[in-house]
Amino acid sequence: MEYTEKMAEAMTKMEMVVENFPVEEGKKLPAAGKETEIVTQYGGLHDNRGVGVVEVILILVVLIALVLVFKSQLTSLVNTIFTTITTNAKSVLK
């Protein structure tokens, strides 16, 4: 059963529970009644499918900020590594 079908079924059950809920004149329905159980049982009303995208974007923003902060240190490190590779590669080729 798809998510939308489950939600439609949950909403139908919620409407039936609310319609049949015994309420005295002048009193309101309780906030956490049977309808809360039904919504919880069928996965809730929130769609969390886009949460992963937001997390990835936040991680990328933090990584870019770190690169910008440590740009000079990273540049010198990469230059040192390439110099070492070039020097050692020449000795292996001889």
Side-chain angles (χ1 to χ4, degrees):
M1 195 181 279
E2 283 191 46
Y3 181 78
T4 52
E5 292 172 345
K6 286 182 182 180
M7 291 312 300
E9 185 178 332
M11 292 301 292
T12 304
K13 286 184 179 183
M14 282 176 52
E15 289 170 1
M16 291 181 352
V17 168
V18 171
E19 289 171 4
N20 298 326
F21 199 83
V23 179
E24 295 178 25
E25 284 297 318
K27 291 189 175 181
K28 295 182 179 179
L29 289 173
K34 285 282 188 189
E35 59 271 8
T36 306
E37 290 177 31
I38 293 171
V39 170
T40 305
Q41 178 183 357
Y42 287 95
L45 296 174
H46 303 289
D47 186 6
N48 295 329
R49 288 181 282 185
V51 174
V53 174
V54 173
E55 291 170 351
V56 169
I57 290 172
L58 288 174
I59 290 170
L60 286 174
V61 166
V62 169
L63 286 175
I64 291 170
L66 287 172
V67 167
L68 292 175
V69 168
F70 297 107
K71 183 179 178 183
S72 62
Q73 290 91 342
L74 288 172
T75 304
S76 69
L77 176 67
V78 169
N79 287 335
T80 305
I81 290 171
F82 279 124
T83 304
T84 305
I85 290 172
T86 305
T87 309
N88 291 339
K90 288 179 183 176
S91 68
V92 169
L93 293 174
K94 288 182 180 181

